[in-house]
Amino acid sequence: MSTTTRPLVIGNWKMNLDFVESVHLGQQIGVLLKNKPAEHTDVVVVPPFVDIRSVSSIVTSERIPVAVGAQHVNPNENGAHTGEISTSMLKRLNVSWVLVGHSERRSMYAMDDAVVASTLRATVRSGLQGVLCVGENSAVRDADGQGAFVQGQLESALEGLDEKFREQVTVAYEPIWAIGTGATASSEQISAMTTFIRQALRRLEMTDTRVLYGGSVNADNASSIISEGGVDGFLVGGASLKAESFCAVIQACNDCYAGKR
Ligand code: PGA
């Protein structure tokens, strides 16, 4: 992790937890963060759409120091898009972050690079922070093609983006073979890809962009990855569904940042 960048930890709850369970988890995270504040770390929780309103309400009313995100958004402003949600609907619910192009959406819901690019554009233009998710599958990794693959994803999403919106972008490197599998990428693999991604971002004059890692991050591996992997934080799936493990990941980032300053 760089010494000057505040770490960011995002909990992606995916299609888990109904609104009652989501509120409960949000409150538990609030209690843990009050007992042990993570003052150097930005935290975002990303519930399913139908839970957002409830989670936003308790975050505001109980002053829980987390922002609320959405797992996806439709790039259109409104209209005949059955089943979809717009940026303005999210903003009305105090959502400030959106995951864009998560590999599950790319692979299962036909989100190609062009749709990822238009979704990222719509997200940042509306004033929301976009988390651009990139990462290769195991076949690409086995052929040692991860660099070119991720570079292609970055370029197609970012090259057409107006410069004034680029500071609203965070990049999450999530190798698909590490997501939900327990097979975390090694710190060396993460560090190599983070360095590569930062070079690509530098060419786009995005030197301050935070680069996160996601893929089976948990309470046990977060400390070593944050100190050795060259990342600015994490996008956490499974381990974000329990307040204890999610807050342990947050504390690992917070301690690393505090220790290095
Ligand atoms: P995981 O998911 O932590 O369960 O591997 C990460 C993600 O998909 O964002």
Side-chain angles (χ1 to χ4, degrees), residues 4-26:
T4 50
T5 309
R6 264 176 83 81
L8 167 65
V9 179
I10 304 177
N12 175 12
W13 298 353
K14 306 194 179 183
M15 196 175 73
N16 297 293
L17 311 178
D18 63 28
F19 84 93
V20 178
E21 295 164 329
S22 278
V23 165
H24 190 58
L25 177 56

Side-chain angles (χ1 to χ4, degrees), residues 26-231:
Q27 285 172 319
Q28 286 179 315
I29 291 168
V31 170
L32 293 182
L33 289 179
K34 255 168 219 159
N35 289 344
K36 201 166 179 213
E39 64 273 40
H40 305 302
T41 304
D42 296 328
V43 182
V44 183
V45 295
V46 188
F49 284 134
V50 293
D51 301 349
I52 286 177
R53 181 159 191 196
S54 313
V55 173
S56 274
S57 298
I58 59 119
V59 160
T60 306
S61 64
E62 299 185 16
R63 294 171 196 244
I64 300 170
V66 305
V68 179
Q71 297 173 18
H72 177 60
V73 74
N74 188 283
N76 295 288
E77 275 174 29
N78 52 40
H81 299 283
T82 302
E84 293 292 291
I85 304 282
S86 70
T87 52
S88 56
M89 294 172 188
L90 295 176
K91 287 172 65 182
R92 289 279 287 158
L93 297 177
N94 291 330
V95 165
S96 44
W97 292 78
V98 180
L99 305 184
V100 180
H102 188 280
S103 63
E104 287 152 17
R105 296 225 54 97
R106 290 181 192 254
S107 66
M108 290 190 264
Y109 302 100
M111 197 173 184
D112 62 18
D113 279 345
V115 179
V116 171
S118 60
T119 304
L120 186 65
R121 268 199 307 276
T123 298
V124 295
R125 271 190 198 148
S126 73
L128 294 162
Q129 303 284 322
V131 182
L132 172 64
C133 303
V134 296
E136 78 288 354
N137 64 21
S138 55
V140 171
R141 167 68 63 169
D142 290 346
D144 202 24
Q146 62 275 7
F149 185 85
V150 166
Q151 182 161 341
Q153 288 182 320
L154 289 171
E155 285 172 358
S156 82
L158 297 172
E159 272 180 348
L161 197 64
D162 197 317
E163 270 171 42
K164 67 175 183 271
F165 296 123
R166 289 185 180 172
E167 66 183 27
Q168 286 161 251
V169 176
T170 296
V171 172
Y173 170 58
E174 297 207 298
I176 295 170
W177 46 272
I179 295 179
T181 59
T184 323
S186 67
S187 291
E188 295 74 36
Q189 288 171 320
I190 298 169
S191 167
M193 279 307 285
T194 326
T195 304
F196 182 86
I197 289 168
R198 288 193 202 282
Q199 281 164 359
L201 292 172
R202 209 168 298 132
R203 286 195 289 277
L204 295 160
E205 292 180 25
M206 294 175 68
T207 43
D208 296 332
T209 304
R210 285 193 279 201
V211 180
L212 313 182
Y213 167 76
S216 298
V217 173
N218 58 40
D220 296 328
N221 59 28
S223 286
S224 61
I225 301 175
I226 195 71
S227 49
E228 296 161 15
V231 292

